[in-house]
Amino acid sequence: PPLAEPVTDPGGVINKPPFEMGVANLGDDCMFSNDVFLRSNDGHSIFDIATGKNINSTQEIGKKRKIEIGNHVWVGMRAAILYHTKIGDGSIVGALSLVKNVFPNNCILAGTPAKMIKKDISWSREYGAEDIAECGSQYVNLTK
């Protein structure tokens, strides 16, 4: 699906493979840095040797693999967001993070694997902003 509007992608690339096997729902007013990867599938098939069955890329498995990014989420450069991930509204994903989990609203997550490192935050597109109102009142919320 097309990216929600407005989305900031400052000359970088959002690398997302075809989503036939999964779904990526991106909220409004998100900001993506350079070289962000959204992976709703593994890209290749894996088989169980004992049974000969595909264990990672059937249509049934693929339909359950979702990426959900809330509204007003800022994703840092070279972050990789994998299937079975949900990121709540107003959150920040640190650069170079590997994200595969469920995260609440208004938090900072970072690392490999990503973990919540700070909660009860809000962010503004304006560098050097001095008033929390510049974050947008709808995005100034305590983490739930």
Side-chain angles (χ1 to χ4, degrees):
L3 297 177
E5 295 297 332
V7 170
T8 302
D9 178 10
V13 176
I14 298 175
N15 297 288
K16 57 179 194 165
F19 284 105
E20 297 92 26
M21 294 299 290
V23 176
N25 295 315
L26 308 181
D28 292 329
D29 196 38
C30 291
M31 186 165 68
F32 293 87
S33 188
N34 298 332
D35 298 325
V36 171
F37 290 83
L38 304 178
R39 298 298 308 225
S40 66
N41 62 60
D42 296 323
H44 303 283
S45 297
I46 300 172
F47 291 87
D48 179 291
I49 292 174
T51 65
K53 291 186 179 184
N54 181 317
I55 60 172
N56 77 321
S57 62
T58 65
Q59 291 290 330
E60 183 178 326
I61 292 169
K63 288 178 184 176
K64 296 176 185 173
R65 292 185 169 180
K66 297 181 181 178
I67 296 171
E68 296 182 41
I69 299 177
N71 298 318
H72 194 67
V73 172
W74 173 10
V75 181
M77 74 174 191
R78 296 191 182 123
I81 301 174
L82 307 179
Y83 56 86
H84 299 315
T85 293
K86 183 175 182 177
I87 302 170
D89 294 348
S91 292
I92 300 170
V93 178
L96 300 168
S97 295
L98 179 63
V99 186
K100 187 174 182 179
N101 208 334
V102 176
F103 296 93
N105 65 294
N106 295 84
C107 70
I108 299 174
L109 50 127
T112 302
K115 295 180 179 154
M116 183 169 59
I117 61 171
K118 183 147 180 68
K119 61 182 189 173
D120 299 330
I121 60 92
S122 192
W123 63 272
S124 169
R125 292 172 184 276
E126 190 67 37
Y127 179 77
E130 296 196 16
D131 188 339
I132 195 167
E134 292 185 45
C135 298
S137 60
Q138 69 273 36
Y139 302 120
V140 178
N141 299 297
L142 295 175
T143 302
K144 296 178 186 171

